[in-house]
Amino acid sequence: MSTITDVEVWGGIECTINRVKDSYFDQLNYAGHYQRQTDLDLFADLGIKKLRYPVLWEKHQPEPDTSIDWTATQNNLDRLKELGIEPIAGLVHHGSGPSFATIDTENFATGLAGYASKVAEKFPWINYYTPINEPLTTARFCGLYGFWYPHLKSDSSFIRLLLNETKATVLAMQAIRRINPDAKLVQTEDLGKTYSTPLLRYQADFENKRRWLSFDLLLGRVNKKHPLWLYLTQKAKIEEEELRFFLDNPCPPDILGFNHYLTSERFIDEDLKKYPVHTHGGNGKHAYADVEAVRVDLDKKTGAYQLLKEAWDYFKLPIAVTEVHLGCTREEQLRWLKEMWETACRLKSEGADIKAITGWAMLGSYGWCDLLTKDNGKYEPGIFDLSSGKPRATALAKLIKAISKGDQFQHPVLEATGWWKKDIRVLYYRNNIRKISSEAKSSQPLLILGKTGTLGKAFAKLCEIRGIHYQLLDRKELDLANPGHIEKVIAEKRPWAVVNAAGYVRVDDAETDCTTCYIANTHGPANLANLSARYGFKLLTFSSDLVFDGSKGASYLESDPISPLNVYGKSKARAEEYILNYDPSALIIRTSAFFGPWDNYNFVTNVLTSLKNQQGIKAANDVYISPTYVPDLVNISLDLLLDGECGIWHLANSGEVTWATLAKQVAIRAKLDVNLITGIPLAKFNYAAHRPLYSVLGSEKGLLMPELTHALDRYYREWESQDTINDIVINTKAG
């Protein structure tokens, strides 16, 4: 990793307050930041130099002519000063203004200027401002696509809103500089580009000129010679007098802030049949599909380096990457952050004035998968994970801390390239020629034990998808009962981590096969833990909900006392004790009732198969469990492993059901006969092993898994597609 340290590391909090109809959605309210000043100390520990921090208009002045309560914001800004972090104050973040001065009225620009003056008066020491975040993007969402207030959909409304935002930025900076002449404008915007087929080059050229429009207005470049002059004055119906304001009042940004995402680059193609219907659109002249360029096998130079270089060549102004974020698995997030850092350092070394990269969404974000059109949407972790209600540092925090302090951060998963640079990224082929290149393996593998089991196979499958180099071993290749053999294999393979997905799983047989159960479930994992510190690998192993006796009657948390009822549960409980005694840094996942799409030996698959064949099912109607979708379990476990988490964690899809209710939910999704399902008490099964009547897993460390209903929906879609393929194969052979 580069050691150039004059490219700074900044931080940023996703702080949008956007409006949909008459509802305002506040990201920091969802995140609980308003009640948690300790967040700032966590940010400071990362070594960041500046923080994009909200002092939002809609939050502080929702009504006109009211006294502003600055207390919480002042406390936080004062704390930032104490911590040596310089704030970049954001005044409107994807917002449309308070109801008395909305983005579609003249009051917006003058209203924001008045508010900006109050901010500068209250905090005259703040030197960096972003009056409006991504004005062009916000104008598109509000005025071209209709997602946000005022929900308009025309070129005229889009440009009108953009002009209002840009004028508001100019007036706001003028007001601020009357109080603080040294105040600097950090103007942010999405950094994208459109690529196209030859037929649609005219549309791509237009969009690629339009992407600079907010900056061109601020720089006083939009005159009669500007390539979009006719578009503005004729199609968007803007009067020349309105555009003259920007020529008379240039407000050049001191720093251009570019926010680049993998979806920011687009490809448009008139060959509609190649693409899903939801991508189809047009411009009135041609119909075309609009897709992510990263999903197309383009032969053009794309990506952050190319776009930032274009921006530098066009503007020759200082640049910061003001949002670095990827909503993906942890190793891909690490790869993206590392790549953006190295891209900035490379450009800096080539003469571009690159000031910083910004770790974005410090506290994560809510509802962006629905474009913030719903209240308190799906949560996505950021540099910190708020799933438990308080921030937990992820592996990204360690990477940012290392970069900001000029230290090396090395991890075998960073030796692989991100999915956006692999052939598997391509979904749409221009020439229908599919290419799959071999992926270089990292220096140290992830060792997965349990080659023939459900969990081991799932880990291997998802590591393949995630680009994590692994080796999957069976009992012959690594004998957990033989400490000497374990040590020999570990010394030879040098894994960075070991996932123990092996074990004895026959709960009833364990009652009479006690020795074998303990060797596999207790002594084997303990043998691994005894070696982990010596050989420097991270251990991930699995325990069970059957360490509990069910007497609590409410969801079990990690700290609840254990009291297993059967030999299997006792073997897992003893393993937990041994492992944490030998290796406190080990990660132990308690989980329950697996079901997944890649094996036929689980309750859910058995229900579907039986009902499809008109066979009856008996299921316990008095045992409450928390079923666990294996792909979710594996993905979250890998993220926690990369985060360096330790101790006991509970992972199960949120939601409790009885076995009988679970069977009926599965039947309903498959439109199969629920009358074939009979619910009976557990006692009537005459199992050899006693089982708790209630073993639902909750968590005090964070509810990281999706809802059970969502998991069942995804499982059924996967099962249905596989079942359809099997029917086709059988019928083809029969024919």
Side-chain angles (χ1 to χ4, degrees):
M1 186 176 294
S2 174
T3 58
I4 296 176
T5 56
D6 54 349
V7 174
E8 295 182 349
V9 181
W10 300 349
I13 309 174
E14 169 52 50
C15 58
T16 299
I17 296 182
N18 70 298
R19 179 178 175 182
V20 176
K21 296 182 179 178
D22 291 326
S23 298
Y24 289 84
F25 301 152
D26 185 340
Q27 291 278 311
L28 290 188
N29 185 47
Y30 304 147
H33 174 68
Y34 296 130
Q35 292 78 43
R36 212 176 40 243
Q37 192 185 61
T38 51
D39 291 349
L40 305 179
D41 294 81
L42 295 175
F43 301 162
D45 187 57
L46 302 180
I48 60 174
K49 303 297 183 185
K50 293 181 176 63
L51 180 69
R52 294 186 62 195
Y53 195 77
V55 189
L56 298 182
W57 187 18
E58 294 96 335
K59 173 69 177 175
H60 289 91
Q61 196 179 35
E63 301 295 336
D65 303 322
T66 55
S67 177
I68 297 176
D69 182 0
W70 297 107
T71 306
T73 297
Q74 180 167 359
N75 289 339
N76 286 344
L77 289 171
D78 287 346
R79 183 59 183 154
L80 285 177
K81 188 191 294 187
E82 293 171 3
L83 293 167
I85 298 175
E86 191 153 26
I88 303 171
L91 307 186
V92 175
H93 199 99
H94 287 316
S96 54
S99 59
F100 67 89
T102 56
I103 193 172
D104 54 335
T105 67
E106 289 290 333
N107 294 337
F108 180 79
T110 55
L112 181 60
Y115 173 71
S117 181
K118 294 179 187 296
V119 174
E121 288 171 357
K122 185 65 180 178
F123 308 106
W125 55 271
I126 294 179
N127 290 319
Y128 291 87
Y129 285 87
T130 301
I132 298 178
N133 174 67
E134 293 189 11
L136 190 138
T137 301
T138 303
R140 283 174 25 229
F141 278 40
C142 294
L144 197 58
Y145 311 143
F147 295 141
W148 303 338
Y149 184 88
H151 304 290
L152 304 174
K153 296 182 181 181
S154 71
D155 287 274
S156 180
S157 58
F158 157 61
I159 293 298
R160 176 67 57 199
L161 298 186
L162 176 61
L163 293 181
N164 280 356
E165 291 179 291
T166 314
K167 184 176 182 179
T169 300
V170 173
L171 295 182
M173 290 308 300
Q174 288 176 351
I176 292 166
R177 284 168 174 159
R178 280 194 286 270
I179 298 164
N180 179 3
D182 295 327
K184 295 175 175 59
L185 170 61
V186 181
Q187 184 55 61
T188 60
E189 198 59 86
D190 178 70
L191 179 63
K193 189 174 182 178
T194 301
Y195 308 89
S196 72
T197 61
L199 176 69
L200 296 171
R201 186 167 293 125
Y202 73 96
Q203 180 65 27
D205 288 344
F206 164 74
E207 294 184 16
N208 291 332
K209 294 182 180 74
R210 188 185 67 183
R211 63 181 168 153
W212 307 128
L213 189 52
S214 57
F215 295 120
D216 283 346
L217 286 165
L218 289 171
L219 288 162
R221 291 183 175 183
V222 181
N223 54 31
K224 291 184 178 181
K225 295 181 180 179
H226 192 276
L228 295 184
W229 182 262
L230 292 180
Y231 165 75
L232 295 170
T233 56
Q234 295 184 11
K235 187 167 186 178
K237 299 180 173 59
I238 303 299
E239 297 293 333
E240 291 187 22
E241 183 64 27
E242 297 176 76
L243 297 173
R244 189 171 297 117
F245 170 84
F246 300 100
L247 296 174
D248 295 339
N249 296 275
C251 185
D254 297 278
I255 299 175
L256 302 177
F258 288 114
N259 306 333
H260 176 64
Y261 291 85
L262 284 171
T263 55
S264 296
E265 293 176 90
R266 313 296 300 180
F267 178 72
I268 54 177
D269 186 348
E270 70 277 4
D271 190 359
L272 296 177
K273 64 180 181 296
K274 287 184 179 180
Y275 307 95
V277 173
H278 73 269
T279 68
H280 295 182
N283 57 12
K285 180 178 180 181
H286 288 105
Y288 51 80
D290 182 336
V291 298
E292 301 93 338
V294 71
R295 294 298 189 181
V296 183
D297 59 336
L298 296 178
D299 55 4
K300 303 178 185 297
K301 291 182 179 180
T302 63
Y305 171 81
Q306 185 66 25
L307 296 189
L308 287 168
K309 190 174 185 306
E310 287 180 11
W312 169 250
D313 291 341
Y314 184 75
F315 292 110
K316 295 295 184 184
L317 289 172
I319 289 173
V321 183
T322 39
E323 291 182 18
V324 178
H325 172 72
L326 178 64
C328 202
T329 53
R330 192 75 77 241
E331 73 287 342
E332 297 288 26
Q333 292 178 318
L334 288 168
R335 291 165 185 159
W336 179 247
L337 179 58
K338 173 177 175 281
E339 180 175 318
M340 293 300 289
W341 165 250
E342 292 182 339
T343 295
C345 290
R346 177 185 172 188
L347 286 162
K348 183 84 171 181
S349 69
E350 294 172 355
D353 189 1
I354 306 295
K355 297 295 186 184
I357 67 164
T358 307
W360 186 245
M362 282 286 196
L363 299 173
S365 58
Y366 297 80
W368 270 103
C369 56
D370 295 313
L371 297 177
L372 308 188
T373 56
K374 299 177 182 177
D375 186 20
N376 199 4
K378 178 184 175 183
Y379 175 67
E380 296 178 41
I383 314 302
F384 294 88
D385 186 341
L386 286 176
S387 299
S388 67
K390 57 184 180 181
R392 176 184 67 84
T394 69
L396 293 166
K398 296 176 184 177
L399 178 54
I400 287 177
K401 189 172 184 177
I403 292 173
S404 65
K405 295 186 176 181
D407 297 334
Q408 293 292 316
F409 182 92
Q410 296 177 329
H411 196 290
V413 299
L414 289 175
E415 295 171 22
T417 56
W419 68 262
W420 53 95
K421 289 193 170 180
K422 298 176 183 176
D423 292 327
I424 59 170
R425 68 184 169 80
V426 178
L427 299 179
Y428 313 115
Y429 290 85
R430 292 169 301 127
N431 300 313
N432 295 319
I433 300 175
R434 186 174 183 83
K435 183 177 78 169
I436 299 293
S437 301
S438 60
E439 172 71 8
K441 292 180 170 56
S442 55
S443 58
Q444 292 180 274
L446 173 68
L447 219 56
I448 304 170
L449 312 182
K451 191 172 188 175
T452 61
T454 295
L455 198 54
K457 290 178 180 177
F459 266 98
K461 186 179 185 71
L462 287 168
C463 281
E464 195 76 38
I465 292 171
R466 291 173 61 155
I468 298 175
H469 174 43
Y470 69 93
Q471 291 185 27
L472 179 61
L473 306 182
D474 60 22
R475 288 187 178 89
K476 292 180 181 179
E477 294 167 302
L478 191 149
D479 183 1
L480 282 175
N482 186 335
H485 189 237
I486 297 172
E487 185 166 7
K488 180 182 177 182
V489 174
I490 294 294
E492 174 190 334
K493 297 189 178 295
R494 297 173 52 252
W496 64 269
V498 175
V499 175
N500 177 34
Y504 191 102
V505 297
R506 301 187 302 277
V507 175
D508 293 300
D509 291 348
E511 295 297 307
T512 54
D513 193 12
C514 182
T515 300
T516 306
C517 177
Y518 269 92
I519 289 173
N521 287 356
T522 306
H523 302 302
N527 289 335
L528 286 169
N530 201 27
L531 292 170
S532 59
R534 191 187 318 168
Y535 286 93
F537 65 84
K538 181 79 175 175
L539 175 61
L540 165 61
T541 191
F542 290 84
S543 188
S544 167
D545 62 328
L546 294 183
V547 299
F548 298 110
D549 62 11
S551 61
K552 182 182 179 183
S555 298
Y556 282 98
L557 306 179
E558 289 87 352
S559 61
D560 283 330
I562 59 176
S563 180
L565 300 176
N566 54 49
V567 170
Y568 175 85
K570 291 174 182 177
S571 73
K572 291 293 188 180
R574 186 68 61 83
E576 293 178 4
E577 179 184 351
Y578 285 168
I579 291 166
L580 293 179
N581 183 50
Y582 290 144
D583 180 12
S585 70
L587 175 60
I588 300 173
I589 304 294
R590 287 186 189 140
T591 188
S592 169
F594 288 172
F595 70 99
W598 306 316
D599 77 278
N600 295 319
Y601 305 104
N602 64 77
F603 177 79
V604 172
T605 302
N606 183 48
V607 168
L608 285 170
T609 303
S610 298
L611 295 182
K612 189 176 180 182
N613 294 325
Q614 295 296 306
Q615 297 173 350
I617 290 285
K618 292 182 179 179
N621 59 9
D622 59 347
V623 177
Y624 288 85
I625 54 168
S626 45
T628 305
Y629 188 48
V630 171
D632 290 342
L633 172 67
V634 172
N635 277 321
I636 299 298
S637 296
L638 286 170
D639 284 352
L640 290 174
L641 185 67
L642 288 164
D643 288 343
E645 290 298 339
C646 60
I648 295 171
W649 284 70
H650 287 180
L651 291 186
N653 293 97
S654 54
E656 63 178 62
V657 290
T658 65
W659 289 105
T661 302
L662 177 62
K664 290 177 181 178
Q665 289 183 3
V666 171
I668 290 169
R669 280 171 173 77
K671 296 182 172 58
L672 297 171
D673 189 358
V674 295
N675 295 316
L676 292 171
I677 300 168
T678 304
I680 61 174
L682 175 66
K684 289 193 174 182
F685 284 94
N686 296 315
Y687 289 131
H690 292 297
R691 288 165 168 80
L693 293 179
Y694 191 98
S695 61
V696 175
L697 296 177
S699 179
E700 60 207 352
K701 295 186 175 182
L703 297 174
L704 306 181
M705 302 275 278
E707 294 283 342
L708 175 60
T709 53
H710 188 251
L712 286 171
D713 290 341
R714 285 179 287 128
Y715 165 83
Y716 177 68
R717 287 196 296 270
E718 185 81 15
W719 179 84
E720 187 178 38
S721 64
Q722 290 182 357
D723 199 50
T724 300
I725 291 171
N726 291 336
D727 285 344
I728 291 172
V729 171
I730 291 170
N731 292 334
T732 300
K733 289 181 178 178

